Amino acid sequence: MSDPIEIGAAISMIVASFGGVTVLAILARAWVKKQHLPTGAPAEEVGELRAAVEHVAGEVGELHERLEFTERVLAQQRDALRLQEGA
């Protein structure tokens, strides 16, 4: 995967994933603000909010794993190119 197009595709995937998670986080935050839950909110509403936050946290965790994987792949490619150029 030392082709510049493939590297660009990998970077695009990272940016798109990050953008998607960012949009999810913004939407979740807006939804929580819209709720205007009073003190002593019903347990059902609190449960829904917790579920939404846990979902977003899971998405962010998955994005983090993908980003680390892509960084490792790109670093391996960069190292391989350096070795080829030095030979």
Side-chain angles (χ1 to χ4, degrees):
M1 192 169 117
S2 61
D3 183 22
I5 294 175
E6 291 178 7
I7 293 172
I11 292 171
S12 297
M13 181 182 68
I14 292 169
V15 171
S17 296
F18 181 72
V21 171
T22 301
V23 168
L24 282 174
I26 291 169
L27 290 175
R29 196 173 302 129
W31 184 72
V32 169
K33 285 182 181 179
K34 184 179 178 184
Q35 296 300 313
H36 297 305
L37 297 176
T39 306
E44 182 178 311
E45 289 182 46
V46 172
E48 289 176 9
L49 291 173
R50 283 189 176 145
V53 170
E54 288 175 6
H55 177 74
V56 170
E59 292 288 325
V60 170
E62 184 177 326
L63 174 62
H64 180 69
E65 289 177 13
R66 289 179 179 185
L67 177 61
E68 285 183 340
F69 173 77
T70 305
E71 287 174 339
R72 285 193 304 270
V73 169
L74 291 174
Q76 289 173 352
Q77 291 174 357
R78 190 172 38 246
D79 292 344
L81 286 174
R82 286 182 186 156
L83 288 175
Q84 288 177 354
E85 291 172 357

